[in-house]
Structures are given as structure tokens and as C-alpha cells.
Amino acid sequence: MDEAGSCASGGGFRPGVDSLDEPPNSRIFLVISKYTPESVLRERFSPFGEIQDIWVVRDKHTKESKGIAFVKFARSSQACRAMEEMHGQCLSPNDTKPIKVFIAQSRSSGSHRDVEDEELTRIFVMIPKSYTEEDLREKFKVYGDIEYCSIIKNKVTGESKGLGYVRYLKPSQAAQAIENCDRSFRAILAEPKNKASESSEQDYYSNMRQETLGHEPRVNMFPFEQQSEFSGFDKNDNRGQEAISKRLSVVSRVPFTEEQLFSIFDIVPGLEYCEVQRDPYSNYGHGVVQYFNVASAIYAKYKLHGFQYPPGNRIGVSFIDDGSNATDLLRKMATQMVAAQLASMVWNNPSQQQFLQFGGNSGSQLPQIQTDVVLPSCKKKAPPETPVKERLFIVFNPHPLPLDVLEDIFCRFGNLIEVYLVSGKNVGYAKYADRLSANDAITTLHGKILNGVRLKVMLADSPREESNKRQRTY
């Protein structure tokens, strides 16, 4: 190494190079003041468990501290708890800058990058095929607060494969579960969801089930990296993907109100409702969010998972399996995206409208509407000379819907006289001969997404004021 370390004095255990990561994730990486002595590190971190070694990274020429140090614990759970409780703290009253604490990356990776908290909270276990998710939660809840449990099932038969995941709220809880649970579960730390190597976990345990379980393997938290024996697994029998639905589960280490939850998730168009759930056994924040369509839910999940609110507190967002057919939901989402793209093309290039209306055999068909909104059946329009009782103002995002689609939507509430777009603007108007019909249109359509376009529908000026305004021109 180019950088010399200041090691702990005394006759205590000093790990060799090969055992620095045994057990895995038992070393913490510290960003500290250059003037922090090793004795202070030992004093502040020894309450979390047995310290096997401390070393401070120093300049190889001046021997001055670089403000970086490592602490090696005997157990992974000790290192994780030290990270959770000491990150952002000051080591002494005279320190003005808080320290940073991370779990050190394994030396086999060739770098000392920090490991994200999410990568340390999910464990992969082998369970009896008769286990339900409730059984799995009951077995592992003794080690800490569980965010979710899931059992991997055969996509065709729906039967359990005898494998499951348990996601904890804290890395130390997951580490304790691995260290203390019954060895028959063969618990390991699951690979991150965004890594392709995760799918080999199933193959690891599938092969294990077919072997004699007389030998207890060494528990390795990252056992699947660079192992050729796992490269030939059946890709058609990989781990079931996370269930996709319009409902999301939100978890936070800091409690939140329903107004705060709404303000976060209303950033994504299509929010239907949100609900805060109180857990009498913990101070964590739990909530459920539902969108009108799966596209918004998917976007919200991947945009807001890990979002810091308040700053320093990351929220966890995951799908709630509501029994919906994921294939059908994705098909609807794809259809909406294509419809939105097509509508955008027509709006930006009016010369294409004639081709779309009269090309092929679809010229006589009714316009297609893709939405999760339950719309009434089509009704006849009111005569053009009917007096206007209510006028609605419509805002489109990101672009207006085609006029025939717009008319098909708004006539379904009955008594529609006319619907039109304002040239060059993302707005339009609908005139009704009956106020109840107009109110029904607002209630059903406001804030909803149709053909990939979000609508805002609200009352416009009263009909009696319309005659005092300049007539619109085409």
C-alpha cells in the first residue's frame, strides 16, 4: 500500500489482509478531522461492539493524517449500528464539522466506495414451501422493523419455490437476522435489485436443495460475484419481478402527515389518493399512495424512491401487489404512450390529420380512448342552438387531445353542445346545456389522464358573460 496506517496498540487481535472483510461488511469507512486521534475513535466506537483494529490513513511522506480512517468490528451488525448512529455526529465538543460514516466496500472490488443503505437491508432466505408471507414475517420480526416480506412463486402454478426476501428498515437489523437466525434458513444479504447477478441467488439455493445439506457453507453476504458456476442458470426461471400496480407503499424513518405525503407524490400527475397508516409499535412513517394509472405509479416509484424528505431522511417506495395483471397493465401503459405520441405528432403537424382520419380502414371507426377512468356510454349531442347553461375550461398537459377524441369524451355526460380548442394553446372549452352534466364531467375528468394526456377541467365564465366578449375566430 502507498498509505501507511496507524494500527491499534496492545495485544488485541489484528486481522490480516485476507480477513479484513470477514465477516463481510464489518469494516466502516470514516471521513474525520485530520486532527482526530485514534484514541478518540476507539472511545466513541467501542460501545457498538468488539473492535478488532483501527487504522488512520496517512500521507506516505509527511505521515500526517488525511482525514480518513477505518474501524474493523468483529460482527457486521456492530459495524452497521455504528454507521447508523454515528453518521453526521461530532466526535468531540470542539469539532465543528460532523463525521461521515459508511460501510467500507470489500477489498476484492479494488476500491473503498461506500455501500448504499438499501443494499444492506434486504436478505435472501431459504424457507419451507408451506410458508406464507405472514409466517416469514413472524419468524424474522424479532430482529427489527420489517418493511416487507415476499415469497418467490412459480409464475405458472403459483406455488412457492421455497425462497423469499425480507426487507428491513435498518442495515443493522438485516445483519442481526443473518447472524442470529436458524442456520436452516441459510440467510444471506441479497444483491441489489439493479444488479444482474441477483437472479443467480435462486440458482444458488435451487442447487443447494438438491445436494446433501450435511456441510454448512460459510455465510458470505455477496456470494455471487465473479463465480462462474452460477453463469449457466435458466434465465426463463429467474426470480419473479416485483409486482407492478397503481398502489405504492411509502416508508420513512421520520413520521409524516397526509398533507406532506400528498405534496411529495402530487408532483407526478395522476395522483388519486394517499393515506397515512399509523404503526403503534414504531415511530416510522407508513403510507399508501394510489394513482389513476400504472404509468404514473411506475414513474413515481423510480423517481421518488430514495428521495430525501426531510433532507437527510430517505423515503422508501415500493409497489403493493393488488392482484392486477402486470402484463395487462404494461400493455395499457404502452398503448397510452403510443397514443400520446401519435396525438402529439398530429397536433404539431396538422397535415397528418387527413392521413389519420381517412387512411386505411380505420376512418369510420370511433376514436380510441385509453384510460383507467370509468366513462359513461356515448350520448347524443344537444342541438347547436340550445342555450348554454354551463361552460367548462380545459387544460391539457403536455398537449391537446384530437378534437374528435375530445368530443367523444365530453359528450358521454349528456347535453354537450360544443367542444373546441384554442388555436396554438394547450386549452379548450366545452359548452353544456345542463349544469348537472357539466358538473359530472368535472368530477369524472379533472386531474385524470386520457390517452397519455392529463386534463384539468374547471368551470369557465358564466354563459351570460360570454355574450359580452369578442366572438372567437377560426
Side-chain angles (χ1 to χ4, degrees):
M1 288 178 61
D2 293 336
E3 297 160 337
S6 172
C7 63
S9 59
F13 172 77
R14 174 70 189 273
V17 173
D18 294 335
S19 60
L20 283 174
D21 296 308
E22 290 296 335
N25 305 309
S26 58
R27 270 190 319 139
I28 56 174
F29 172 78
L30 310 175
V31 180
I32 57 177
S33 168
K34 293 182 179 180
Y35 307 103
T36 301
E38 180 183 314
S39 59
V40 172
L41 294 179
R42 180 171 292 278
E43 178 187 352
R44 294 302 305 272
F45 284 92
S46 58
F48 299 104
E50 178 189 347
I51 294 179
Q52 294 183 336
D53 202 4
I54 298 176
W55 60 101
V56 179
V57 179
R58 301 182 183 278
D59 186 275
K60 64 180 180 178
H61 300 296
T62 66
K63 305 303 180 183
E64 291 181 352
S65 169
K66 288 190 171 184
I68 295 174
F70 293 86
V71 178
K72 172 70 171 68
F73 285 92
R75 297 167 72 95
S76 304
S77 58
Q78 298 167 351
C80 289
R81 196 162 67 89
M83 174 190 67
E84 294 162 2
E85 297 193 20
M86 292 302 294
H87 181 68
Q89 301 294 321
C90 292
L91 291 178
S92 67
N94 297 328
D95 289 345
T96 58
K97 189 174 182 180
I99 65 171
K100 295 181 179 179
V101 186
F102 306 98
I103 296 296
Q105 186 67 283
S106 64
R107 283 180 171 267
S108 61
S109 66
S111 65
H112 294 302
R113 295 172 297 174
D114 61 282
V115 178
E116 293 287 338
D117 287 7
E118 286 89 352
E119 299 182 11
L120 297 169
T121 56
R122 200 164 60 110
I123 66 173
F124 188 64
V125 295
M126 185 167 67
I127 57 177
K129 291 188 177 181
S130 60
Y131 263 35
T132 64
E133 289 186 1
E134 290 73 21
D135 296 329
L136 185 58
R137 180 181 292 272
E138 187 67 25
K139 282 289 184 182
F140 284 88
K141 71 179 183 180
V142 295
Y143 306 110
D145 298 313
I146 294 176
E147 181 179 336
Y148 68 80
C149 295
S150 61
I151 293 177
I152 301 170
K153 298 180 180 180
N154 185 295
K155 293 181 179 179
V156 179
T157 65
E159 295 180 353
S160 168
K161 291 187 176 182
L163 306 172
Y165 288 94
V166 180
R167 172 73 180 270
Y168 287 93
L169 295 179
K170 290 184 177 182
S172 61
Q173 297 167 345
Q176 287 186 36
I178 292 174
E179 294 166 356
N180 300 319
C181 73
D182 192 287
R183 289 300 165 190
S184 62
F185 289 110
R186 299 186 181 271
I188 60 171
L189 196 64
E191 282 289 281
K193 291 184 179 182
N194 59 348
K195 290 189 178 181
S197 58
E198 179 191 41
S199 54
S200 59
E201 292 165 351
Q202 274 193 75
D203 189 69
Y204 173 75
Y205 279 121
S206 296
N207 291 338
M208 189 183 296
R209 282 189 175 278
Q210 298 172 12
E211 298 174 354
T212 303
L213 300 179
H215 174 64
E216 185 68 36
R218 175 177 63 85
V219 176
N220 181 0
M221 287 192 173
F222 295 94
F224 311 110
E225 295 178 348
Q226 302 176 351
Q227 296 188 19
S228 59
E229 62 265 34
F230 300 114
S231 60
F233 64 91
D234 184 3
K235 292 180 175 57
N236 294 324
D237 193 31
N238 59 357
R239 181 181 64 82
Q241 295 181 347
E242 184 179 16
I244 297 176
S245 71
K246 296 182 291 184
R247 301 183 70 201
L248 300 174
S249 171
V250 185
V251 179
S252 167
R253 294 177 182 175
V254 177
F256 46 71
T257 65
E258 195 165 294
E259 291 75 16
Q260 291 171 327
L261 190 64
F262 184 88
S263 65
I264 296 172
F265 285 84
D266 193 41
I267 296 173
V268 179
L271 179 64
E272 182 174 1
Y273 77 87
C274 61
E275 176 185 355
V276 172
Q277 299 177 336
R278 304 296 179 187
D279 186 349
Y281 302 104
S282 75
N283 292 324
Y284 293 104
H286 300 268
V288 174
V289 173
Q290 179 162 318
Y291 286 89
F292 284 104
N293 62 88
V294 68
S296 295
I298 292 175
Y299 187 79
K301 197 271 185 187
Y302 290 103
K303 272 294 183 182
L304 296 176
H305 178 65
F307 178 74
Q308 293 195 19
Y309 183 86
N313 173 69
R314 285 181 294 183
I315 62 175
V317 184
S318 58
F319 291 109
I320 297 177
D321 189 357
D322 59 359
S324 302
N325 187 313
T327 303
D328 187 56
L329 290 173
L330 291 174
R331 179 189 62 79
K332 286 184 178 181
M333 184 181 71
T335 305
Q336 290 177 4
M337 291 174 64
V338 172
Q341 186 70 20
L342 189 61
S344 178
M345 180 187 71
V346 173
W347 179 252
N348 295 325
N349 188 5
S351 63
Q352 298 290 332
Q353 293 184 5
Q354 185 176 3
F355 169 78
L356 290 174
Q357 287 181 349
F358 302 105
N361 298 323
S362 60
S364 60
Q365 295 180 356
L366 292 174
Q368 295 295 317
I369 300 174
Q370 298 293 335
T371 182
D372 292 331
V373 180
V374 179
L375 295 174
S377 59
C378 292
K379 296 181 176 62
K380 290 184 178 181
K381 291 176 61 179
E385 64 277 5
T386 306
V388 177
K389 296 295 184 180
E390 202 71 270
R391 196 170 67 137
L392 304 183
F393 180 64
I394 312 163
V395 180
F396 307 91
N397 185 21
H399 54 74
L401 291 167
L403 194 58
D404 58 337
V405 174
L406 199 60
E407 185 173 290
D408 179 55
I409 294 170
F410 281 86
C411 76
R412 293 171 179 264
F413 303 95
N415 301 293
L416 177 68
I417 301 173
E418 179 189 17
V419 61
Y420 60 91
L421 299 171
V422 177
S423 180
K425 304 288 185 181
N426 286 354
V427 299
Y429 290 89
K431 295 181 180 180
Y432 282 93
D434 181 76
R435 289 189 174 88
L436 290 178
S437 298
N439 290 334
D440 289 343
I442 294 175
T443 303
T444 304
L445 300 175
H446 181 66
K448 305 304 188 294
I449 296 178
L450 295 92
N451 288 13
V453 177
R454 186 183 187 187
L455 305 183
K456 288 186 178 180
V457 185
M458 60 202 81
L459 291 176
D461 295 330
S462 60
R464 61 178 176 273
E465 295 175 356
E466 185 176 3
S467 59
N468 298 327
K469 294 188 176 183
R470 185 179 60 182
Q471 295 294 319
R472 60 185 172 90
T473 57
Y474 297 89

